[in-house]
Amino acid sequence: MAQTEKLHIVLFPWLAFGHMIPYLKFAKLIAQKGHRVSFLCPPRNIDRLPKIPPNLTPLINFVKLPLPHVENLPDNAESTVDLPLDKMQYLNKAYDMLQEPVAEFLRTSAPDWVLYDYAPYWVGSISASLGIKTAFFSVSTAAALSFLGPSSVLKGETDDYRKTLEDFTVPPKWIPFPTTLAFRYFEIHRMVESDQTLSNTYNGVTELYRFGAAPENCDILAIRSCLEYEPEYIQLLQNIHGKPVLPVGLFPPSEDDNGDETETWRTMKEWLDKQEKGSVVYVSFGTEAKLKQEEITAVALGLEHSQLPFFWVLRTHSGSAATGLSQLPEGFEERTKGRGVMWNTWVPQLKILAHDSVGGYLAHSGWSSVIESVHFQKPMILLTFVSDQGLNARILEEKKLGYSIPRNEQDGSFSSNAVADSLKLVMIEDEGKIYREKVKEMSGLFADKDKQDWYLDNFLDYLKSHAASK
């Protein structure tokens, strides 16, 4: 294909908003370069995604793929936030039943490339049979994927020497350089306890198997990362899988990500404007983490004891995922009235993080939130809960971009004093000055739109030069 020709690229994410949102950002970046994108997703999820700018709507085609009916899967459940953990297996089953509709779409539309997530590992072999090139596009870092290891290990074809939970609390033997990259005991234990381990079997296939087959069945790996942030892991990932690994940049926030000016934001801004510069703690733990009652209590009392102003987004999960309202400590809201804001629905996170009064982010270390936090020069105070958050936290700790709240190594419990002390350390005290300085240093990279443009152009040039001839 000539370098000047325009591509048709299909994007197919897993049904978690932490995956769908980065895939949508990638779709917009690709479309801004004049290429056509088909975004495959169930209808209700598409309706819940942020709206596309009018100038890009001709280039992004949302292909609504209704999930097949599966017993025990509620009719309106199309994403992980719609379900409790014990129903997740049914979402996986319905998702895997999309193989024929996806194959039919690929047959009739004949795209140049398909970019797919870890869960639909089967897209690689379907596309290969149709002569279509593929990339496994990971929304996780190269470090997190490197920790998982080779496809042969993940698929169970080669024995994994890691047999106990303790084995996952040290760096794996295939990482040849010094690192702290590993889970802490309570992180891997919680994943087992809450039925979120990668070894769980959904629809007859383990999550580990999917993570092994996805990169094995593709032509290249695409990573939402950059060489300046994790060069050693990008090279290691290429060595592990024996195929090209292309960083596609960090997708830094842009103007249209911020959403329109609304009455809700004006209310928030009015409160933030009254606070001192750098004094406010922004608190949000993403869409997937479900905090235990004792954790909510410790966070609340920690915020109270810190005496710092705070803006806390404490979401309640909707639909069949609801497990009852979480209880704040008695009298907490009265005692912190004026100093703290509680919010239980969607917020314009980018606008909040960009505000001068926000001086720190009490976060879960999900990769998208990390990118936004560093972009806006906000050091992180970390509380990890699920999936790759612990692995992200180790790298953030190494780079002094985030500080993890001290926790009991066995059960992950933490005290309100630990929360208060950690917040003050990172945001106020001299001892924590390094976190405030390091995040400012790194923000230049994370906010560099020219660098992002270079990574995107480099990736698209590769796709053009390696597209199958039609």
Side-chain angles (χ1 to χ4, degrees), residues 1-7 33-35 460-461 464-465:
M1 173 178 283
Q3 289 291 93
T4 54
E5 286 185 38
K6 298 303 181 185
L7 297 163
K33 297 291 185 179
H35 302 285
L460 291 171
D461 285 347
K464 287 180 204 171
S465 60

PDB file of all heavy atoms in Angstrom, residues 1-7 33-35 460-461 464-465:
ATOM      1  N   MET A   1       0.843  -1.203   0.000  1.00  0.00           N
ATOM      2  CA  MET A   1       0.000   0.000   0.000  1.00  0.00           C
ATOM      3  C   MET A   1       0.873   1.246   0.000  1.00  0.00           C
ATOM      4  O   MET A   1       1.834   1.325   0.760  1.00  0.00           O
ATOM      5  CB  MET A   1      -0.908  -0.006   1.236  1.00  0.00           C
ATOM      6  CG  MET A   1      -1.710   1.274   1.424  1.00  0.00           C
ATOM      7  SD  MET A   1      -2.822   1.230   2.840  1.00  0.00           S
ATOM      8  CE  MET A   1      -4.150   0.240   2.190  1.00  0.00           C
ATOM      9  N   ALA A   2       0.533   2.228  -0.818  1.00  0.00           N
ATOM     10  CA  ALA A   2       1.293   3.472  -0.874  1.00  0.00           C
ATOM     11  C   ALA A   2       1.149   4.228   0.443  1.00  0.00           C
ATOM     12  O   ALA A   2       0.101   4.189   1.076  1.00  0.00           O
ATOM     13  CB  ALA A   2       0.789   4.332  -2.030  1.00  0.00           C
ATOM     14  N   GLN A   3       2.206   4.931   0.824  1.00  0.00           N
ATOM     15  CA  GLN A   3       2.224   5.631   2.099  1.00  0.00           C
ATOM     16  C   GLN A   3       1.141   6.710   2.185  1.00  0.00           C
ATOM     17  O   GLN A   3       0.743   7.100   3.277  1.00  0.00           O
ATOM     18  CB  GLN A   3       3.597   6.278   2.326  1.00  0.00           C
ATOM     19  CG  GLN A   3       4.704   5.263   2.606  1.00  0.00           C
ATOM     20  CD  GLN A   3       4.536   4.585   3.959  1.00  0.00           C
ATOM     21  OE1 GLN A   3       3.933   3.533   4.062  1.00  0.00           O
ATOM     22  NE2 GLN A   3       5.042   5.201   4.996  1.00  0.00           N
ATOM     23  N   THR A   4       0.674   7.195   1.036  1.00  0.00           N
ATOM     24  CA  THR A   4      -0.313   8.277   1.046  1.00  0.00           C
ATOM     25  C   THR A   4      -1.741   7.751   1.146  1.00  0.00           C
ATOM     26  O   THR A   4      -2.663   8.509   1.407  1.00  0.00           O
ATOM     27  CB  THR A   4      -0.191   9.120  -0.232  1.00  0.00           C
ATOM     28  OG1 THR A   4      -0.272   8.247  -1.370  1.00  0.00           O
ATOM     29  CG2 THR A   4       1.130   9.867  -0.245  1.00  0.00           C
ATOM     30  N   GLU A   5      -1.937   6.464   0.918  1.00  0.00           N
ATOM     31  CA  GLU A   5      -3.291   5.915   0.924  1.00  0.00           C
ATOM     32  C   GLU A   5      -3.866   5.860   2.338  1.00  0.00           C
ATOM     33  O   GLU A   5      -3.136   5.759   3.312  1.00  0.00           O
ATOM     34  CB  GLU A   5      -3.296   4.513   0.292  1.00  0.00           C
ATOM     35  CG  GLU A   5      -3.135   4.539  -1.209  1.00  0.00           C
ATOM     36  CD  GLU A   5      -3.262   3.137  -1.802  1.00  0.00           C
ATOM     37  OE1 GLU A   5      -4.095   2.360  -1.309  1.00  0.00           O
ATOM     38  OE2 GLU A   5      -2.509   2.836  -2.740  1.00  0.00           O
ATOM     39  N   LYS A   6      -5.195   5.934   2.389  1.00  0.00           N
ATOM     40  CA  LYS A   6      -5.876   5.896   3.679  1.00  0.00           C
ATOM     41  C   LYS A   6      -6.278   4.460   4.024  1.00  0.00           C
ATOM     42  O   LYS A   6      -6.662   3.679   3.155  1.00  0.00           O
ATOM     43  CB  LYS A   6      -7.105   6.805   3.655  1.00  0.00           C
ATOM     44  CG  LYS A   6      -6.759   8.275   3.421  1.00  0.00           C
ATOM     45  CD  LYS A   6      -5.784   8.807   4.468  1.00  0.00           C
ATOM     46  CE  LYS A   6      -5.464  10.272   4.265  1.00  0.00           C
ATOM     47  NZ  LYS A   6      -4.437  10.756   5.216  1.00  0.00           N
ATOM     48  N   LEU A   7      -6.188   4.165   5.308  1.00  0.00           N
ATOM     49  CA  LEU A   7      -6.471   2.817   5.812  1.00  0.00           C
ATOM     50  C   LEU A   7      -7.904   2.705   6.309  1.00  0.00           C
ATOM     51  O   LEU A   7      -8.552   3.695   6.657  1.00  0.00           O
ATOM     52  CB  LEU A   7      -5.529   2.495   6.976  1.00  0.00           C
ATOM     53  CG  LEU A   7      -4.028   2.445   6.685  1.00  0.00           C
ATOM     54  CD1 LEU A   7      -3.249   2.526   7.992  1.00  0.00           C
ATOM     55  CD2 LEU A   7      -3.678   1.167   5.934  1.00  0.00           C
ATOM     56  N   LYS A  33      -6.147  11.622  11.513  1.00  0.00           N
ATOM     57  CA  LYS A  33      -5.151  11.498  10.442  1.00  0.00           C
ATOM     58  C   LYS A  33      -5.805  11.139   9.098  1.00  0.00           C
ATOM     59  O   LYS A  33      -5.116  10.863   8.126  1.00  0.00           O
ATOM     60  CB  LYS A  33      -4.112  10.422  10.804  1.00  0.00           C
ATOM     61  CG  LYS A  33      -3.300  10.762  12.046  1.00  0.00           C
ATOM     62  CD  LYS A  33      -2.361  11.931  11.794  1.00  0.00           C
ATOM     63  CE  LYS A  33      -1.457  12.191  12.987  1.00  0.00           C
ATOM     64  NZ  LYS A  33      -0.525  13.316  12.746  1.00  0.00           N
ATOM     65  N   GLY A  34      -7.137  11.102   9.085  1.00  0.00           N
ATOM     66  CA  GLY A  34      -7.857  10.887   7.829  1.00  0.00           C
ATOM     67  C   GLY A  34      -8.171   9.436   7.506  1.00  0.00           C
ATOM     68  O   GLY A  34      -8.697   9.145   6.421  1.00  0.00           O
ATOM     69  N   HIS A  35      -7.890   8.509   8.426  1.00  0.00           N
ATOM     70  CA  HIS A  35      -8.173   7.095   8.170  1.00  0.00           C
ATOM     71  C   HIS A  35      -9.568   6.730   8.674  1.00  0.00           C
ATOM     72  O   HIS A  35     -10.090   7.331   9.611  1.00  0.00           O
ATOM     73  CB  HIS A  35      -7.120   6.219   8.857  1.00  0.00           C
ATOM     74  CG  HIS A  35      -5.723   6.520   8.413  1.00  0.00           C
ATOM     75  ND1 HIS A  35      -5.231   6.120   7.188  1.00  0.00           N
ATOM     76  CD2 HIS A  35      -4.714   7.213   9.018  1.00  0.00           C
ATOM     77  CE1 HIS A  35      -3.977   6.538   7.064  1.00  0.00           C
ATOM     78  NE2 HIS A  35      -3.646   7.207   8.155  1.00  0.00           N
ATOM     79  N   LEU A 460       1.133   4.394  12.224  1.00  0.00           N
ATOM     80  CA  LEU A 460       0.310   4.345  11.012  1.00  0.00           C
ATOM     81  C   LEU A 460       1.159   4.091   9.762  1.00  0.00           C
ATOM     82  O   LEU A 460       0.732   3.380   8.850  1.00  0.00           O
ATOM     83  CB  LEU A 460      -0.486   5.645  10.870  1.00  0.00           C
ATOM     84  CG  LEU A 460      -1.598   5.855  11.915  1.00  0.00           C
ATOM     85  CD1 LEU A 460      -2.163   7.262  11.828  1.00  0.00           C
ATOM     86  CD2 LEU A 460      -2.709   4.817  11.750  1.00  0.00           C
ATOM     87  N   ASP A 461       2.369   4.643   9.735  1.00  0.00           N
ATOM     88  CA  ASP A 461       3.283   4.358   8.616  1.00  0.00           C
ATOM     89  C   ASP A 461       3.603   2.864   8.560  1.00  0.00           C
ATOM     90  O   ASP A 461       3.674   2.274   7.478  1.00  0.00           O
ATOM     91  CB  ASP A 461       4.578   5.165   8.754  1.00  0.00           C
ATOM     92  CG  ASP A 461       4.391   6.633   8.401  1.00  0.00           C
ATOM     93  OD1 ASP A 461       3.346   6.968   7.816  1.00  0.00           O
ATOM     94  OD2 ASP A 461       5.285   7.444   8.733  1.00  0.00           O
ATOM     95  N   LYS A 464       0.577   1.053   7.146  1.00  0.00           N
ATOM     96  CA  LYS A 464       0.479   1.265   5.693  1.00  0.00           C
ATOM     97  C   LYS A 464       1.466   0.380   4.945  1.00  0.00           C
ATOM     98  O   LYS A 464       1.124  -0.266   3.952  1.00  0.00           O
ATOM     99  CB  LYS A 464       0.753   2.724   5.337  1.00  0.00           C
ATOM    100  CG  LYS A 464      -0.352   3.696   5.704  1.00  0.00           C
ATOM    101  CD  LYS A 464       0.083   5.092   5.279  1.00  0.00           C
ATOM    102  CE  LYS A 464      -0.641   6.151   6.089  1.00  0.00           C
ATOM    103  NZ  LYS A 464      -0.061   7.482   5.821  1.00  0.00           N
ATOM    104  N   SER A 465       2.703   0.360   5.420  1.00  0.00           N
ATOM    105  CA  SER A 465       3.751  -0.359   4.691  1.00  0.00           C
ATOM    106  C   SER A 465       3.632  -1.878   4.843  1.00  0.00           C
ATOM    107  O   SER A 465       4.217  -2.626   4.065  1.00  0.00           O
ATOM    108  CB  SER A 465       5.133   0.099   5.142  1.00  0.00           C
ATOM    109  OG  SER A 465       5.317  -0.145   6.514  1.00  0.00           O
TER     110      SER A 465
END
